[in-house]
Amino acid sequence: MKKGDVSPILVNIGFGNVVAASKVVAVVTPGSAPIKRMREEAGKLGKLVDATQGRRTRSIIITESDHIILSALQAETITQRFIEGKSGLGEEE
């Protein structure tokens, strides 16, 4: 990425789905009761995005706009992809 380039960093969250890294607040596992309540609430409000392609939800991504994105990838895998995306910022092409 060149200096001055303002294009958003997109992170693959599985099955060709991507999310803008700058809009993500947290990547969490779906097991706890508060997270389950957040998921249900987002569904009622129309702010739930299912990117699992019918597979089991293994992580939940929370965005700035309170959208909840479900992913079939492990939270650790997605976190690593965010870290790799940020480390590439200092490199020039």
Side-chain angles (χ1 to χ4, degrees):
M1 187 181 259
K2 296 180 182 178
K3 287 187 179 183
D5 191 1
V6 292
S7 60
I9 296 172
L10 300 176
V11 177
N12 185 334
I13 60 167
F15 306 107
N17 299 298
V18 295
V19 65
S22 62
K23 303 296 182 188
V24 172
V25 175
V27 179
V28 297
T29 56
S32 69
I35 297 300
K36 288 178 182 176
R37 283 193 297 272
M38 276 179 108
R39 179 179 175 172
E40 290 174 10
E41 185 75 19
K44 291 176 186 173
L45 296 173
K47 291 190 168 198
L48 183 67
V49 179
D50 187 351
T52 62
Q53 301 291 352
R55 290 167 177 83
R56 183 174 151 223
T57 300
R58 293 203 167 135
S59 63
I60 295 179
I61 301 163
I62 304 168
T63 66
E64 287 179 346
S65 61
D66 293 330
H67 282 81
I68 303 294
I69 304 169
L70 309 179
S71 175
L73 297 181
Q74 294 284 348
E76 294 83 12
T77 303
I78 295 173
T79 302
Q80 189 62 40
R81 290 180 182 186
F82 274 95
I83 292 168
E84 289 169 4
K86 288 185 179 182
S87 68
L89 286 178
E91 299 173 9
E92 286 191 40
E93 292 181 22

